[in-house]
Amino acid sequence: MQRLLLSVIFILGISISSYSQSIPSPDKFLGYDIGTQFSRHSQVVDYFEAVAKALPNQVKMEKYGQTYERRPLYVTYISSEENIKNLNAIRENNLKNAGLRNGASDNPEVAVVWLSYNVHGNEASSTEASMLTLYKLLTEKQDWLKNTVVIIDPCVNPDGRDRYVNWFNETASQPYDIDQQASEHNEPWPGGRPNHYLFDLNRDWAWGSQTESASRLKVYNKWMPHIHVDFHEQGINEPYYFAPAAEPFHEIISDFQRDFQTEIGKNHAKYFDAEGWLFFTRERFDLFYPSYGDTYPTYMGAIGMTYEQGGHGRAGLGILNDEGHVLTLVERLTHHTTSGLSTVEMASKNAKRLNTEFSKFFDNSGLKYKSYALSGNPDNIGSLTKLLLKHHIQYEKVTTNKASGYNYTTGQQGNINLDENSIVVHTDQPKGKMVKVLFEPNAKLTDSLTYDITAWSMPYAYGLDAVASTSKIPSKPVKLIKNRKPYQPLSDAYGYVSDWNSMKDAKFLASVLKADFRVRFTEKPFTSNGKDFKRGSLIITKGDNLKLKNMRSTLDAIAKAHDKKLETINSGFSQNKPDIGSPDIKLINKQKIAVLSGEGTSSLNYGAIWHFFEQQLKYPVTSLNTENLSRTNLDKYNILIMPSGDYGSLLNEDTMNTLKDWVRSGGKVIAIDAALRSFAGKDDFSLKYKKTENTQETENLTAYGDRERENANNLITGAIFKSKIDATHPMAFGYGDDYFTLKIGSSTYDILDRGYNVGYITDTNVFSGFAGQNTLKNLEKTLVFGEERMGNGSFIYMVDNPLFRSFWENGKLFLVNSIFFVNNNAFEL
Ligand SMILES: [Zn+2]
């Protein structure tokens, strides 16, 4: 009987129903109808595995990484049997088509579509939709798979998603409560949106600072899909949003990329119209900042799109929105499934065209700047090359000692000197458009109303001298195997000196302090053993470290691990003073650092600080919850970092007095960005808001329809300014006289009349990005970095957050300096 049945199926050929029989449906597999519960990440992985097991010839999973909380990251390839068999050949052919791999491509006709779900953990409907989309593709849409490879990443941010889902499961009523005020619709700090270190992964594509992004970039750049969709959710009262995107569009986006977005949007509209669903397009979500899940793929040649469903962390399983509609998870995931499938349909119907146009995108002969030459501190150049490698962008060594073009430091045409450490990045490489986006001095804005920052130019972020040249700068390839000299063990000496320029040096300091070395730093330049040492240089003497066993071999091991070359000094007597025993050469405290977290703090800024200490500097930090601050014994710490935040309710008179007393006795408070508001204009502080010039001299006759645009005049949306630096202050050791700062807001503070103005704005030229005209009037003579003493301790002010999204590499040393160098009279615990 069974045999007979099998042969009947065989004769009929594989029918759609046979697929549905062999593949478990999400409902059946999960044990509940999809959308009636939130699925845990492990269940989602299990479902994909079950489908891959049921149909191994069409579904292939690849683990591409692991989150900080050790959840696995997977992509799943779904296509016809034939394509899955040739998966690697299809991939390589695609790279050849883009010129990213040598050799002629073999007339590619297979479209590659990448669907990324749930980058924001609490926008949780999309991961549910990924399961239904997988099932429907295989059971209903086999035809499309003949010429399409679909890559599904069911959850880009598993740590954030499970944070949300676990919280919801432990909080929600049964049945769910549709009342907006119910606790299940109000997530506690920090919410499920970000990843473990509270980074917004949808702002991290270009920087790859988080392990999820860095792992994804590897597999993304291996594939280079033709279409990439990033699934999101917006407020509960919003309908559905899909492409075409809003202005501003970055100027490198091709006509085809614009047009095809519209074609896809119209295809979605057909399905949404048929059901009577509301949606909008062309508003709000623009294509400019390069670090999103839509722009990054776009600048890598794909049709990159964001889809937004109403819902978000508030919506739970069901919520009554302000329009009187009960919005359910089932409805949300149905919409995302519809748009996802419609995207694959469009890819399949246009597979050949997508390939032809994809190939055209990589012709970069029309770009204005042919080369970007960069010069400066070798450590910073080294950090930049690591970023370039993440995107498979090539760079070369210069073979000339001068280059001319747009000079980033002066903002004018001019020359820079180049040396053996200088590099050049050309735009006549396949990734040339991404090179332009990352390096050009000032990206052209077609509209000032944008969703995000408008400046990120790499030479400023890495603190390098640079020119953008309209002609190609002579260069030679970097040798793959460096002829690096092997590490030379230290000889016995009076002491050893490290220069102080970069995060590399800071990481070395953190390591030696953790190994219990006693380390000094110099506040004045000195000469010893024929070598000049600048301010901030670290000095490790034998005499200071007699208690350490195997002092020299331990130091060798640490220096080697950090790729550091230490200089030797043979005497405490310097050729040019100070001598090593001078009061200007100070012992560094092994600082005990606390950082505020929780309610009131910006989760993004707190997370960036947490990540900075744990993953970059690798130096311990204790997180203190703001709720417990009033009963915390601050005497256990030397440093208290206050991330950007609103401390209005926390810093009542009592807590403020406790904090001041702690500082007077030698503590240091480092306040970042909005945390400065807690002190500006308050008793005992010289920090003051800059009085705003009267900008209301004309009558307020702004039309209602112009209100958003008028408001933009008062905004700085991430713009780059040149600031003056007091390089003799310990907070600025390792820096020159100028520093390019990324302003992300328009709050301005006067220069301090008591205390040290370490960094301040004198030049209100916007070097890059958008700053509304009203803001510029208030910017002159305003503070960027400052120190105000109180008793034995200090308040340190960082108006511009140097850890913003962790990509402003050149700002990080200001924070390290503040911790280890500034006001070194502070007490030792
Ligand atoms: Zn989102």
Side-chain angles (χ1 to χ4, degrees), residues 372-378 381 397-410 412-424 463-468 473-474:
Y372 299 92
L374 302 118
S375 189
N377 183 281
I381 289 179
K397 288 269 174 202
V398 291
T399 52
T400 171
N401 54 17
K402 215 171 218 139
S404 62
Y406 176 89
N407 181 320
Y408 285 68
T409 312
T410 61
Q412 286 162 359
Q413 293 298 309
N415 293 321
I416 60 163
N417 294 322
L418 303 169
D419 59 27
E420 73 278 6
N421 295 313
S422 306
I423 59 163
V424 61
L464 296 169
D465 292 329
V467 289
I473 295 170

Side-chain angles (χ1 to χ4, degrees), residues 682-699:
K682 301 275 168 65
D683 286 351
D684 300 333
F685 290 92
S686 82
L687 183 71
K688 284 185 197 71
Y689 291 111
K690 170 109 172 162
K691 279 199 197 78
T692 52
E693 312 248 324
N694 189 3
T695 53
Q696 288 291 334
E697 279 165 16
T698 49
E699 287 172 19

Side-chain angles (χ1 to χ4, degrees), residues 382-552:
S383 307
L384 177 61
T385 57
K386 281 187 193 140
L387 182 80
L388 297 177
L389 289 175
K390 285 181 186 170
H391 307 303
H392 299 196
I393 291 172
Q394 287 150 18
Y395 61 93
E396 299 200 329
K397 288 269 174 202
V398 291
T399 52
T400 171
N401 54 17
K402 215 171 218 139
S404 62
Y406 176 89
N407 181 320
Y408 285 68
T409 312
T410 61
Q412 286 162 359
Q413 293 298 309
N415 293 321
I416 60 163
N417 294 322
L418 303 169
D419 59 27
E420 73 278 6
N421 295 313
S422 306
I423 59 163
V424 61
V425 188
H426 300 302
T427 55
D428 67 347
Q429 58 176 308
K431 302 267 172 82
K433 292 200 174 72
M434 186 54 105
V435 171
K436 171 186 160 72
V437 171
L438 292 176
F439 282 86
E440 68 188 327
N442 199 1
K444 188 171 146 196
L445 259 179
T446 52
D447 193 321
S448 56
L449 292 180
T450 166
Y451 201 62
D452 211 295
I453 63 165
T454 49
W456 49 79
S457 185
M458 289 298 101
Y460 298 120
Y462 283 81
L464 296 169
D465 292 329
V467 289
S469 168
T470 51
S471 56
K472 198 168 172 180
I473 295 170
S475 64
K476 62 177 183 197
V478 179
K479 283 199 196 97
L480 283 177
I481 303 154
K482 287 182 192 159
N483 298 325
R484 221 204 250 129
K485 288 185 204 128
Y487 180 81
Q488 289 289 328
L490 298 164
S491 53
D492 186 26
Y494 179 84
Y496 310 95
V497 186
S498 159
D499 59 355
W500 186 260
N501 298 301
S502 66
M503 273 302 290
K504 184 169 146 181
D505 306 326
K507 289 174 191 179
F508 168 75
L509 172 63
S511 284
V512 286
L513 287 175
K514 280 191 297 182
D516 290 327
F517 277 85
R518 282 159 68 86
V519 186
R520 296 176 187 270
F521 75 103
T522 181
E523 286 204 346
K524 288 188 180 159
F526 70 98
T527 309
S528 184
N529 209 12
K531 296 214 165 60
D532 297 328
F533 297 106
K534 293 184 188 161
R535 291 187 175 87
S537 299
L538 307 176
I539 300 126
I540 299 172
T541 70
K542 194 162 71 177
D544 273 338
N545 292 287
L546 292 174
K547 280 187 198 156
L548 287 179
K549 278 184 201 152
N550 310 320
M551 179 259 188
R552 195 143 47 96

Side-chain angles (χ1 to χ4, degrees), residues 120 123 193 232-233 308:
H120 290 144
E123 300 172 8
R193 175 184 174 95
H232 288 263
E233 292 192 83
E308 299 261 0

Side-chain angles (χ1 to χ4, degrees), residues 48 74-76 78 115 117 130 133-134 137 150-154:
F48 273 75
Y74 280 102
V75 283
T76 299
I78 304 118
L115 306 174
Y117 296 88
S130 77
T133 305
L134 172 73
L137 277 174
V150 181
I151 303 173
I152 290 186
D153 184 339

